[in-house]
mmCIF file of all heavy atoms in Angstrom:
data_model
loop_
_atom_site.group_PDB
_atom_site.id
_atom_site.type_symbol
_atom_site.label_atom_id
_atom_site.label_comp_id
_atom_site.label_asym_id
_atom_site.label_seq_id
_atom_site.Cartn_x
_atom_site.Cartn_y
_atom_site.Cartn_z
ATOM 1 N N PRO A 270 -20.470 2.940 15.064
ATOM 2 C CA PRO A 270 -19.692 1.764 14.665
ATOM 3 C C PRO A 270 -19.987 1.435 13.205
ATOM 4 O O PRO A 270 -21.150 1.375 12.799
ATOM 5 C CB PRO A 270 -20.209 0.661 15.597
ATOM 6 C CG PRO A 270 -20.811 1.383 16.762
ATOM 7 C CD PRO A 270 -21.385 2.636 16.186
ATOM 8 N N ARG A 271 -18.927 1.248 12.426
ATOM 9 C CA ARG A 271 -19.102 0.997 10.989
ATOM 10 C C ARG A 271 -18.107 -0.066 10.526
ATOM 11 O O ARG A 271 -16.994 -0.159 11.047
ATOM 12 C CB ARG A 271 -18.884 2.280 10.196
ATOM 13 C CG ARG A 271 -19.700 3.480 10.696
ATOM 14 C CD ARG A 271 -19.456 4.703 9.829
ATOM 15 N NE ARG A 271 -19.863 5.936 10.473
ATOM 16 C CZ ARG A 271 -21.052 6.530 10.330
ATOM 17 N NH1 ARG A 271 -21.969 5.978 9.562
ATOM 18 N NH2 ARG A 271 -21.334 7.660 10.956
ATOM 19 N N LEU A 272 -18.514 -0.823 9.505
ATOM 20 C CA LEU A 272 -17.621 -1.786 8.871
ATOM 21 C C LEU A 272 -16.687 -1.046 7.922
ATOM 22 O O LEU A 272 -17.136 -0.279 7.068
ATOM 23 C CB LEU A 272 -18.419 -2.813 8.074
ATOM 24 C CG LEU A 272 -19.175 -3.905 8.833
ATOM 25 C CD1 LEU A 272 -19.902 -4.790 7.837
ATOM 26 C CD2 LEU A 272 -18.231 -4.729 9.691
ATOM 27 N N ILE A 273 -15.382 -1.295 8.054
ATOM 28 C CA ILE A 273 -14.378 -0.627 7.231
ATOM 29 C C ILE A 273 -13.632 -1.659 6.401
ATOM 30 O O ILE A 273 -13.147 -2.676 6.928
ATOM 31 C CB ILE A 273 -13.362 0.140 8.102
ATOM 32 C CG1 ILE A 273 -14.081 1.122 9.032
ATOM 33 C CG2 ILE A 273 -12.354 0.868 7.227
ATOM 34 C CD1 ILE A 273 -14.787 2.235 8.338
ATOM 35 N N GLY A 277 -13.783 1.629 1.832
ATOM 36 C CA GLY A 277 -14.173 2.616 2.837
ATOM 37 C C GLY A 277 -15.211 2.042 3.782
ATOM 38 O O GLY A 277 -15.084 0.900 4.251
ATOM 39 N N VAL A 278 -16.241 2.829 4.074
ATOM 40 C CA VAL A 278 -17.312 2.357 4.954
ATOM 41 C C VAL A 278 -18.226 1.440 4.159
ATOM 42 O O VAL A 278 -18.811 1.833 3.148
ATOM 43 C CB VAL A 278 -18.099 3.541 5.546
ATOM 44 C CG1 VAL A 278 -19.333 3.034 6.293
ATOM 45 C CG2 VAL A 278 -17.214 4.357 6.483
ATOM 46 N N LEU A 279 -18.379 0.214 4.629
ATOM 47 C CA LEU A 279 -19.195 -0.786 3.947
ATOM 48 C C LEU A 279 -20.613 -0.836 4.489
ATOM 49 O O LEU A 279 -21.547 -1.170 3.755
ATOM 50 C CB LEU A 279 -18.546 -2.165 4.092
ATOM 51 C CG LEU A 279 -17.071 -2.269 3.681
ATOM 52 C CD1 LEU A 279 -16.541 -3.664 3.962
ATOM 53 C CD2 LEU A 279 -16.894 -1.903 2.223
ATOM 54 N N ALA A 280 -20.774 -0.521 5.774
ATOM 55 C CA ALA A 280 -22.104 -0.559 6.396
ATOM 56 C C ALA A 280 -22.028 0.110 7.757
ATOM 57 O O ALA A 280 -20.961 0.166 8.383
ATOM 58 C CB ALA A 280 -22.606 -1.998 6.550
ATOM 59 N N ASP A 281 -23.167 0.632 8.208
ATOM 60 C CA ASP A 281 -23.292 1.157 9.571
ATOM 61 C C ASP A 281 -23.847 0.065 10.472
ATOM 62 O O ASP A 281 -24.735 -0.696 10.064
ATOM 63 C CB ASP A 281 -24.238 2.360 9.601
ATOM 64 C CG ASP A 281 -23.686 3.551 8.830
ATOM 65 O OD1 ASP A 281 -22.502 3.524 8.463
ATOM 66 O OD2 ASP A 281 -24.452 4.510 8.619
ATOM 67 N N LEU A 282 -23.332 0.015 11.711
ATOM 68 C CA LEU A 282 -23.794 -0.977 12.677
ATOM 69 C C LEU A 282 -24.150 -0.282 13.991
ATOM 70 O O LEU A 282 -23.505 -0.504 15.019
ATOM 71 C CB LEU A 282 -22.714 -2.038 12.918
ATOM 72 C CG LEU A 282 -22.278 -2.861 11.704
ATOM 73 C CD1 LEU A 282 -21.114 -3.767 12.073
ATOM 74 C CD2 LEU A 282 -23.431 -3.675 11.152
#
Side-chain angles (χ1 to χ4, degrees):
R271 309 182 198 266
L272 285 179
I273 305 294
V278 172
L279 308 176
D281 294 349
L282 299 174

